[in-house]
Amino acid sequence: MAGADRRKQSLYFPEEMLGEIKHEAARLDRSLSWVVQHVWKLARGKLKEVPSTNDEPGSLPDPLEE
């Protein structure tokens, strides 16, 4: 990914979820970061199907979708 943004960001997960992510990272022989990024790419389409609080009549559009 040429030109990828590589700023560091802290994310906080519940202990049980983090344990599952670590387990999958070890199983796949990948980093935690790789697992989270890959899962995000797989899940973002489904997340767009979830109604937003902005979906109410008269609300402002999501600026990231414009």
Side-chain angles (χ1 to χ4, degrees):
M1 288 194 313
D5 185 358
R6 298 207 175 266
R7 291 180 288 178
K8 291 187 178 190
Q9 176 69 51
S10 296
L11 300 173
Y12 299 92
F13 295 96
E15 191 171 337
E16 183 178 337
M17 186 182 296
L18 181 58
E20 290 178 22
I21 296 169
K22 285 180 178 179
H23 175 78
E24 289 303 318
R27 184 182 72 80
L28 296 167
D29 194 26
R30 298 288 186 159
S31 68
L32 293 174
S33 178
W34 184 92
V35 171
V36 172
Q37 289 177 47
H38 192 75
V39 170
W40 168 250
K41 289 175 185 175
L42 292 172
R44 66 182 164 194
K46 288 189 176 190
L47 283 172
K48 287 184 178 186
E49 296 172 9
V50 175
S52 166
T53 57
N54 293 336
D55 290 344
E56 298 172 9
S59 63
L60 297 173
D62 185 343
L64 297 176
E65 293 184 1
E66 292 180 337

